[in-house]
Amino acid sequence: VSASAVDQDGQNVDLATDDKEVERLLTAFHEVLPWPWKTMRLRSPLDAEFYPRALNIAAGHLKEPAVPLTEARIWVAGCGIVQAVQTALDYPNAQVVGSNISQREVELAHDIANQVGAQNLDVRQENINAVDYAAEFDYVICTGVLHHQANPPATLRLVARSLKPNGILELMVYNRFHRFATSAFQKAMRIMTIESEDDHFEQLRVARTLLGEADENSSMRRLHDQIAGMPDVAVGDALIYPVEHSYTVRSLAEMATASGLRLATPRVNPFDEVSGADEWELRIADPELARRYERLDDQNRWYVTNLLRLERSPLLWFFLQSNDTKRNIPDQATLAGEFLDTVFRRNSTTLRSYLLDSGERNRYRLSRRSVEFPSRKPDPGVLDIYEMIDGTRSMREIFRDLGLPVDMASVNRARTRLTSMQFPYLTIT
Ligand SMILES: C[S@@+](CC[C@H](N)C(=O)[O-])C[C@H]1O[C@@H](n2cnc3c(N)ncnc32)[C@H](O)[C@@H]1O
């Protein structure tokens, strides 16, 4: 039985007829509502290898990088106005290409790239459904884009083709269980605004009014509360976006397989951190069921977590790799073991910031203040581990000295709290 990724009734896919039509709709939306709204700060790490090291370790390449620390080629597929610029600043030794169908967003991205002096960046007005990249990139980032395409499996095939054999794809698509209300609302809006389908501000007005009338204690009321106070583009993304597919771990994994890819490891991300729903490992108190759950392969375990946590499961944000790679990212159990066998040192860099001068000129300028990064302390649950890191003892010795459990879930929880892109506290000596 195949998990159908396309559910006409549950998702907002009526307008997903063909690439040309969706390109027209998305371009019109982003001309009026460029994504994202103002990012107040762009970071610029002084250590050019800080993020490349963090990426490799977070993606499970603990021993030897798969994405080269210098001269990597990175593609940001569907880059909004700041994502490609931020990537160029994070990976100053890499060459970054950003693709975007929206001319307005490309112009805004060029402008910001000039303001921060990002020389290693080429932002192109280019449809990711019409590219011809073959084995070109070490690292491809495609977040929040695939689920808005007419035919996501076809888009993913092109994205997969762009990866070098040992490359890493960072992919985020919407989790079906997060999108019941948004997809239903978008479908209702299509009918209610049929006469103003090109007028995004009128659509926003109608959407806000209708959502304001949602019943107390309903899913729609929760959606209303979530977007209260958000800028127009974020409200537009939730309420009036023209096309919205969504997935479960199962349907995403099937789509990946059809492109010769596999879900390798979750990518811990800021949104799940904020919502407090960033854990893929369930805690099951019943010992027999806990063992049964732990014995599942990664994909089935993540799917069970996805099903049981439902709207509290994480975003579907993963690192993927080609099935033909020679640099296989190990499964979570093996990764936990490798983490324990590794000697880490603390990771830090000096961070400069470009701050948005929100005055009339709306420009980014370099702040005089630099800070040590990461600037926050690690999560209290792993602080004692972090404090024992000395560049000589292995994680296994530290776990033993602290009397910590070494089951897969506990170790992986520590691993993601200390060595993910979101929490890049440790690196390898
Ligand atoms: C929701 S935004 C996400 C932006 C960015 N990836 C991020 O995570 O912040 C979607 C972006 O993808 C772009 N986009 C959508 N479909 C595209 C396509 N077929 N080709 C190129 N860019 C596309 C849009 O113009 C917009 O910039």
Side-chain angles (χ1 to χ4, degrees):
V1 183
S2 168
S4 169
V6 181
D7 162 11
Q8 289 283 352
D9 203 32
Q11 297 170 90
N12 174 19
V13 291
D14 291 342
L15 299 182
T17 47
D18 62 73
D19 284 347
K20 276 266 152 296
E21 175 59 2
V22 173
E23 179 176 354
R24 187 187 72 76
L25 293 163
L26 265 52
T27 309
F29 179 95
H30 286 282
E31 290 304 301
V32 180
L33 296 165
W35 180 275
W37 57 101
K38 287 179 193 120
T39 300
M40 302 311 285
R41 190 178 70 88
L42 291 170
R43 59 174 182 260
S44 175
L46 272 192
D47 177 353
E49 295 187 358
F50 181 88
Y51 273 109
R53 280 197 314 264
L55 168 68
N56 279 290
I57 295 174
H61 290 298
L62 263 65
K63 293 190 180 122
E64 209 189 306
V67 176
L69 303 185
T70 56
E71 293 178 25
R73 298 250 306 140
I74 301 178
W75 183 31
V76 187
C79 61
I81 58 176
V82 290
Q83 192 181 31
V85 183
Q86 183 58 74
T87 305
L89 292 172
D90 284 345
Y91 300 85
N93 290 338
Q95 282 303 320
V96 178
V97 173
S99 303
N100 197 330
I101 34 166
S102 159
Q103 188 187 349
R104 169 135 190 248
E105 289 190 355
V106 169
E107 283 164 11
L108 290 165
H110 283 162
D111 209 22
I112 298 174
N114 285 336
Q115 290 165 31
V116 303
Q119 306 271 344
N120 56 332
L121 174 63
D122 176 4
V123 179
R124 303 172 181 168
Q125 188 185 355
E126 160 172 272
N127 187 338
I128 64 170
N129 295 305
V131 293
D132 191 23
Y133 298 129
E136 281 205 30
F137 298 102
D138 300 283
Y139 176 34
V140 175
I141 304 171
C142 185
T143 54
V145 180
L146 201 65
H147 47 236
H148 295 313
Q149 305 306 308
N151 184 356
T155 311
L156 187 58
R157 274 195 291 280
L158 293 183
V159 169
R161 191 164 173 266
S162 76
L163 273 182
K164 288 187 186 172
N166 296 334
I168 295 173
L169 166 63
E170 178 180 335
L171 182 71
M172 185 279 273
V173 292
Y174 282 144
N175 178 332
R176 177 82 46 92
F177 305 136
H178 297 176
R179 307 306 290 184
F180 287 136
T182 55
S183 285
F185 194 89
Q186 289 166 19
K187 286 164 82 77
M189 279 296 296
R190 184 113 313 113
I191 299 167
M192 291 295 284
T193 58
I194 199 116
E195 278 158 21
S196 52
E197 58 185 16
D198 294 327
D199 184 345
H200 294 91
F201 290 113
E202 169 60 7
Q203 288 186 27
L204 276 179
R205 186 193 67 75
V206 175
R208 285 198 163 98
T209 309
L210 270 183
L211 194 61
E213 299 190 8
D215 289 343
E216 291 305 318
N217 292 323
S218 64
S219 300
M220 284 302 175
R221 176 56 59 178
R222 276 191 290 282
L223 177 59
H224 171 271
D225 296 346
Q226 260 170 27
I227 61 164
M230 282 197 173
D232 284 351
V233 59
V235 176
D237 183 69
L239 303 186
I240 65 168
Y241 214 78
V243 172
E244 180 176 285
H245 290 83
S246 55
Y247 298 86
T248 65
V249 167
R250 179 172 166 184
S251 51
L252 172 60
E254 286 181 356
M255 180 164 65
T257 304
S259 284
L261 298 167
R262 61 176 265 271
L263 306 186
T265 190
R267 198 288 197 194
V268 184
N269 63 81
F271 298 98
D272 287 333
E273 189 199 352
V274 168
S275 70
D278 62 346
E279 280 199 17
W280 277 106
E281 303 296 339
L282 287 180
R283 295 167 203 250
I284 301 180
D286 181 278
E288 198 276 317
L289 290 182
R291 273 194 299 279
R292 200 183 293 183
Y293 171 76
E294 192 169 321
R295 276 199 302 268
L296 297 172
D297 63 37
D298 289 347
Q299 201 174 294
N300 270 316
R301 223 177 44 260
W302 292 329
Y303 186 37
V304 168
T305 307
N306 193 195
L307 292 167
L308 294 182
R309 288 220 162 113
L310 213 65
E311 81 282 5
R312 295 288 297 155
S313 56
L315 277 163
L316 301 184
W317 198 325
F318 285 90
F319 290 116
L320 290 84
Q321 63 175 177
S322 158
N323 282 322
D324 299 330
T325 181
K326 298 208 166 46
R327 297 293 316 282
N328 210 23
I329 296 172
D331 65 10
Q332 300 291 290
T334 311
L335 263 183
E338 289 188 357
F339 176 76
L340 286 175
D341 290 334
T342 301
V343 175
F344 288 96
R345 66 178 167 81
R346 294 186 192 174
N347 200 18
S348 76
T349 181
T350 301
L351 202 68
R352 291 177 306 176
S353 295
Y354 291 92
L355 300 175
L356 186 68
D357 181 346
S358 47
E360 232 175 89
R361 287 168 59 230
N362 233 350
R363 294 180 67 79
Y364 285 90
R365 52 176 183 74
L366 187 60
S367 162
R368 271 193 293 268
R369 224 178 124 235
S370 301
V371 290
E372 273 311 286
F373 183 79
S375 35
R376 288 185 292 166
K377 275 199 179 300
D379 181 282
V382 292
L383 194 54
D384 49 356
I385 302 176
Y386 179 75
E387 280 171 352
M388 288 182 70
I389 296 292
D390 57 6
T392 62
R393 273 182 294 184
S394 73
M395 230 2 131
R396 195 178 295 282
E397 291 168 294
I398 294 175
F399 268 59
R400 191 195 53 215
D401 292 351
L402 290 169
L404 295 173
V406 289
D407 62 283
M408 194 259 283
S410 307
V411 174
N412 272 330
R413 212 164 283 131
R415 185 173 64 79
T416 52
R417 287 277 177 278
L418 289 166
T419 60
S420 58
M421 295 291 279
Q422 185 63 8
F423 304 113
Y425 288 102
L426 303 181
T427 191
I428 302 201
T429 52

